[in-house]
Amino acid sequence: MTTEPNGQPGRARTLAEELRARSDQAIATLLRLRPDLLNPVPTDLTQLAARLSSRASALRALERLDRFTLQVAEALAAAPDGCPDTVLRDLLAGPARVKAHPAAEPVSRPAVIAALPAALAALRERALLWGPDSALRLVIAVREALAPTSLSPGGTQLGPTLGEATLGMSPARLQQLLAGAGLGGTADPVTAVAALSALFTDRKRCAALLAQAPPAALGVLDKLVWGPPTGTVPDAARPVTATEARSPVDWLLARGLLLPSGAGTVVLPRELALYLRGGRSHQRVEPTAPALVATVERDPQTVDRAAAGQAYTAVRTIEELLDLWGLQPPPVLRAGGVGVRDLKRAALALETGESQAAFWLELAYCAGLLAPDGESGESAARTGEVWAPTPAYDLWLQQPVAERWTVLARAWLAASRVAGLVGAPDGKGKPRAALGPELDRVPAPATRRAVLSLLAALPPGSVADAAVLLPVQRWTRPLRGGAVGPDGLDLREHLTHWTLAEAELLGVTGRGALAGHARALLAGQDPAPALDPLLPQPLDHVILQPDLTAIAPGPLLTPLAQALSLCADIESKGGATVYRFTATSVRRALDAGRTAADLHAFLEQHSRTPVPQPLGYLIDDVARRHGVLRIGAASAYLRCDDPALLAEVLADRRAAELRLRLLAPTVLAAQAAPDTVLSVLRAMGYAPAAESAEGDLVITRPDSHRTPPRTAPVPVADGPTGPDDVLLGAAVKAIRAGDRAATATRRETVAGPAAGRTEQAQARTDTRHLPRTAAADTLAALQTAVLLGERMWIGYINAEGLASQRVVDPVKVEGGYVTAYDHHAEKLNTFALHRITGVAELDED
């Protein structure tokens, strides 16, 4: 940097750079706090300011304020524009020497004074407030949104000012109000309103006026003082004078203490309401958040163990549910979701209630493990679309339990779908279906994270219920409560209760307290290392009992559990799972290709006790009869090496529906399909087996259905996501580049015709504001800029004849083209030399 001998230009340049850096930092902070302004990135500061002044953007910013900051904004909206911070402080805490209204809740003045600077700074950072502390001004859109009116008193529950309430009132009526209040007449309506306003803001004079009021009239005012500020009165606009007043309301109307706001309503003017309140804008001011106190303290190790046990149960429940739906996929309803009957079957299979079954289904869906199969063609026309596990489920099964739980927990934390809404009536009064399209709620992810963050703020092992968490949430985001339901609870209250219940089911909390591995999850870390040592270790053995049962004293390895479920039915669950062997379950294993020897070897390998004799007899007996009868396609046929067995089947009346006919001593023909013959003969107590056209035994096992590759549903975003530092830096750079392109000034340049442009082309474009230089001067200036690394201002006309001006950093000039970094487009562009109207140096001093 070059400097003059006295150093002044150098110091000025340093100061300018420092101011620009501070300005850029302020813009970046604003964009981080209000990311909706980045959609798309503003082209310059003018466009950014236009977005800031929009009502929609201001309302979104207000929704993210805490209660005290919002109360500060509401008090400013009720105060005159440009009021000092001392007036604001008195509105919130009440004037120091003025007695507060008896119904006003006590407030700590030092606490308000301590919290006020941070609240004002938060409003300034979000560009909702401007001006020095001596003249605070809300942005117009914010003032319009928060200013109290008769129909919308807002958080202050104040009414309109006297000037607003008397707007349109006749001058004669205003003079009557002045006379009724004991004031002299004025020359015009403006001075009449000013005189009444001065009366109500002067505490001594207003007190003297109210001292004359009947007690009943003071009672009327007391009912309106804390809102709502309106009341119903017949013929409210009648011109009542002080001498004609007969009722308490008439006495107030005659003196302007109540003003008509409609044909049958009156309103309490804001100035009088503030006087009656003792100068307070809010009945309850909350400068600090409510205290977060634990309701119960538990041993952190006990909490972690309980949560880990439930986490393992959650993983196994999802696995059991999806294994079931892989074998028996339920249909997708026409309107989306799953039917009530299928939900009940899932709940029965999981031995749980329907609400919990809906939660597990939604969790699997949000994790991308369950989806509609979306088949098309003849198969879809015949069977319809069904719910089934996705290919991602098979990959999920191969992961350790701790990693599987992490997938589920992260999906739950980020999901906008709410399982608690299943069964609740929709807008048409119909119950919402599980996995249906109407379960997304935008505040759900933020509420879950807020609840868990509050639990994480407590010491480990601390329990806090919804009654403790909700007041803190209401203070943190007072405007994000959501719609109120028929039960009188808003959406946030429902989501908080559901979050606590679902966190316990999923193993995020244990006995109501946040687990250690959940704290890692909440911090964005991998919870698997903290969870894995706490999980029960899977077993590789069972205990066989003489009563044809097998007891698994704990969780089994997944391959062992799957193999055991093939040859035995689950009889009961709990700490120990009981499996029961039956003829049907053994035949199921034989149908899947197992042999009696395979089953004996499997049980001997995995049993801690010898295989009981009754179980061995059962396996051998079923295997001996399995496949003696063979069924093939004729329509169907039965063949057997034992003619007596075929004769027994032929004579059995239960086989009449098969319409059997003897073809040979060892062959029967049937008038039914092979699968029908199989099911009927198995119901009769036989153990037939199917064979192929070549006479080979057909192995039948229940193949699990899978969908085509599917992605997990994307949560509904709660507005734009917060930008990272890279995006913020690029946005600030783009805004500055747009400003330079729009406001750049150029030094004196050599006039000349645009290079390579015909007169007709120049006539079609407006080049009056573009830099103009001769072709040789343009080329020389650009080549010099490449050598010196200078920034240039160019005029450019594209192939469509549209003129524009650009701020560029030339990089290369060759072949009739200029390669330069275009600050407006934020990328390298190539410009044809013959389309450049001219160049000029930027004057950045």
Side-chain angles (χ1 to χ4, degrees):
M1 179 181 301
T2 59
T3 62
E4 297 285 334
N6 59 8
Q8 291 300 324
R11 285 196 293 272
R13 180 68 61 85
T14 302
L15 179 60
E17 291 175 352
E18 182 180 351
L19 292 175
R20 180 177 291 274
R22 290 183 180 180
S23 176
D24 290 348
Q25 185 178 1
I27 294 174
T29 301
L30 172 63
L31 296 177
R32 181 182 287 108
L33 295 173
R34 298 177 64 175
D36 58 287
L37 300 173
L38 283 171
N39 189 21
V41 176
T43 56
D44 51 31
L45 284 176
T46 301
Q47 189 177 90
L48 177 61
R51 293 184 189 176
L52 286 171
S53 61
S54 69
R55 182 181 178 87
S57 179
L59 291 177
R60 282 194 294 267
L62 291 173
E63 286 183 350
R64 288 167 170 79
L65 299 179
D66 61 59
R67 185 178 297 280
F68 182 67
T69 306
L70 180 62
Q71 288 181 331
V72 169
E74 291 171 342
L76 282 170
D81 195 26
C83 72
D85 59 348
T86 54
V87 172
L88 176 62
R89 183 171 62 246
D90 289 342
L91 283 172
L92 294 169
R97 294 187 176 91
V98 176
K99 184 179 179 181
H101 190 276
E105 296 191 15
V107 60
S108 171
R109 188 177 182 84
V112 170
I113 295 174
L116 188 57
L120 293 176
L123 293 173
R124 284 193 174 99
E125 286 179 342
R126 290 163 174 80
L128 304 176
L129 175 71
W130 62 283
D133 289 347
S134 58
L136 298 171
R137 301 179 186 275
L138 288 174
V139 174
I140 294 177
V142 178
R143 174 170 286 275
E144 291 177 349
L146 296 181
T149 63
S150 299
L151 299 177
S152 178
T156 60
Q157 289 294 296
L158 290 168
T161 63
L162 193 140
E164 294 167 345
T166 57
L167 191 64
M169 186 175 288
S170 67
R173 178 57 184 160
L174 287 173
Q175 297 303 318
Q176 288 178 349
L177 295 180
L178 289 175
L183 300 176
T186 62
D188 53 72
V190 175
T191 54
V193 171
L196 281 173
S197 300
L199 172 63
F200 293 157
T201 54
D202 187 329
R203 302 197 64 82
K204 291 183 179 180
R205 294 167 61 200
C206 191
L209 176 62
L210 292 177
Q212 306 170 17
L218 296 178
V220 172
L221 294 178
D222 198 54
K223 292 180 180 179
L224 303 178
V225 64
W226 290 111
T230 56
T232 303
V233 174
D235 194 14
R238 62 188 184 276
V240 183
T241 62
T243 57
E244 298 173 349
R246 295 293 181 268
S247 67
V249 174
D250 287 348
W251 195 94
L252 297 171
L253 287 172
R255 291 159 178 81
L257 301 175
L258 287 181
L259 294 170
S261 60
T265 57
V266 293
V267 65
L268 181 67
R270 188 185 307 170
E271 294 87 348
L272 181 59
L274 288 174
Y275 165 79
L276 295 172
R277 293 180 178 190
R280 292 267 295 271
S281 60
H282 295 77
Q283 187 174 15
R284 181 183 183 186
V285 178
E286 300 177 75
T288 57
L292 183 62
V293 181
T295 55
V296 180
E297 297 286 346
R298 305 192 189 280
D299 179 26
Q301 295 183 353
T302 303
V303 168
D304 291 347
R305 287 194 295 267
Q310 189 57 40
Y312 185 87
T313 301
V315 171
R316 294 306 301 267
T317 300
I318 294 291
E319 182 180 339
E320 181 181 351
L321 175 63
L322 296 187
D323 283 343
L324 172 65
W325 278 26
L327 299 175
Q328 302 174 4
V332 178
L333 296 179
R334 182 176 300 179
V338 66
V340 176
R341 292 182 180 179
D342 294 310
L343 179 61
K344 290 182 177 179
R345 292 191 188 101
L348 184 62
L350 298 177
E351 299 181 0
T352 185
E354 294 178 27
S355 59
Q356 289 191 15
F359 168 69
W360 297 123
L361 289 174
E362 289 292 337
L363 181 59
Y365 178 50
C366 292
L369 308 179
L370 176 69
D373 62 356
E375 292 182 352
S376 58
E378 295 181 0
S379 176
R382 184 176 65 255
T383 62
E385 193 175 17
V386 296
W387 291 97
T390 65
Y393 172 64
D394 297 308
L395 300 176
W396 181 76
L397 285 176
Q398 299 174 11
Q399 298 175 341
V401 175
E403 295 182 10
R404 282 193 269 173
W405 180 86
T406 301
V407 172
L408 298 177
R410 285 176 174 167
W412 171 75
L413 193 60
S416 59
R417 296 182 62 83
V418 180
L421 293 171
V422 174
D426 59 11
K428 299 180 180 179
K430 297 181 179 180
R432 295 184 176 92
L435 302 175
E438 299 181 349
L439 300 182
D440 282 293
R441 293 297 180 271
V442 171
T447 302
R448 290 195 194 101
R449 186 167 289 276
V451 169
L452 298 183
S453 297
L454 291 176
L455 291 176
L458 295 170
S462 300
V463 179
D465 56 14
V468 175
L469 300 176
L470 279 170
V472 182
Q473 292 186 76
R474 295 190 187 103
W475 188 91
T476 305
R477 292 291 184 269
L479 298 182
R480 300 301 298 271
V484 178
D487 54 0
L489 301 179
D490 60 26
L491 178 60
R492 176 167 49 199
E493 292 175 286
H494 284 295
L495 289 174
T496 299
H497 288 287
W498 290 333
T499 296
L500 293 174
E502 292 170 359
E504 194 73 15
L505 277 177
L506 188 55
V508 174
T509 59
R511 302 184 64 188
L514 193 68
H517 52 270
R519 294 177 183 270
L521 173 73
L522 198 60
Q525 303 170 359
D526 185 8
L531 176 61
D532 189 62
L534 301 173
L535 293 172
Q537 296 301 316
L539 303 177
D540 62 352
H541 65 274
V542 294
I543 301 174
L544 297 177
Q545 302 290 322
D547 60 350
L548 299 181
T549 60
I551 298 177
L556 299 177
L557 292 170
T558 298
L560 174 57
Q562 293 175 341
L564 194 59
S565 298
L566 183 64
C567 58
D569 299 322
I570 297 178
E571 189 170 79
S572 66
K573 303 175 184 177
T577 306
V578 178
Y579 295 83
R580 178 166 293 280
F581 294 90
T582 64
T584 302
S585 66
V586 173
R587 185 173 65 241
R588 183 172 65 235
L590 297 175
D591 288 342
R594 307 294 194 273
T595 64
D598 294 337
L599 295 179
H600 282 293
F602 168 73
L603 295 176
E604 290 173 358
Q605 178 184 358
H606 295 288
S607 175
R608 287 293 177 90
T609 59
V611 178
Q613 191 178 52
L615 180 56
Y617 286 165
L618 174 65
I619 294 173
D620 293 337
D621 182 58
V622 175
R624 183 170 54 254
R625 294 183 293 113
H626 184 266
V628 175
L629 287 175
R630 298 294 183 92
I631 299 173
S635 294
Y637 66 84
L638 289 80
R639 69 179 182 87
C640 181
D641 295 335
D642 185 358
L645 180 58
L646 280 184
E648 178 184 341
V649 172
L650 184 63
D652 198 320
R653 292 182 179 180
R654 293 175 295 175
E657 63 178 290
L658 302 179
R659 290 176 291 174
L660 299 174
R661 180 167 57 90
L662 185 66
L663 298 181
T666 58
V667 179
L668 287 177
Q671 300 295 321
D675 55 349
T676 303
V677 177
L678 274 171
S679 60
V680 171
L681 292 183
R682 285 173 178 170
M684 293 168 58
Y686 297 97
E691 70 177 12
S692 64
E694 291 78 17
D696 299 325
L697 183 66
V698 176
I699 296 175
T700 59
R701 56 174 174 263
D703 291 328
S704 184
H705 185 70
R706 292 291 183 271
T707 70
R710 292 285 188 266
T711 56
V714 179
V716 178
D718 185 10
T721 57
D724 55 18
D725 293 338
V726 176
L727 178 57
L728 286 175
V732 173
K733 191 174 182 180
I735 292 172
R736 289 301 189 190
D739 283 342
R740 284 193 297 269
T743 63
T745 59
R746 57 190 177 93
R747 298 175 181 148
E748 183 179 355
T749 56
V750 180
R757 298 298 293 168
T758 64
E759 293 182 359
Q760 293 179 352
Q762 291 180 21
R764 291 196 305 268
T765 59
D766 183 8
T767 60
R768 290 173 297 174
H769 303 293
L770 300 182
R772 300 287 298 270
T773 56
D777 295 333
T778 299
L779 178 61
L782 290 172
Q783 290 174 336
T784 302
V786 171
L787 294 175
L788 301 180
E790 293 181 346
R791 186 168 297 168
M792 302 295 294
W793 181 34
I794 68 171
Y796 193 72
I797 301 177
N798 62 14
E800 288 75 26
L802 299 177
S804 62
Q805 49 186 331
R806 315 288 183 93
V807 176
V808 299
D809 292 335
V811 177
K812 181 173 58 177
V813 180
E814 64 180 14
Y817 290 91
V818 180
T819 302
Y821 181 82
D822 187 346
H823 285 268
H824 185 72
E826 286 289 312
K827 64 179 182 179
L828 279 175
N829 275 337
T830 300
F831 303 94
L833 273 172
H834 69 278
R835 296 187 183 277
I836 298 177
T837 64
V839 297
E841 296 180 0
L842 289 176
D843 187 1
E844 298 183 351
D845 293 342

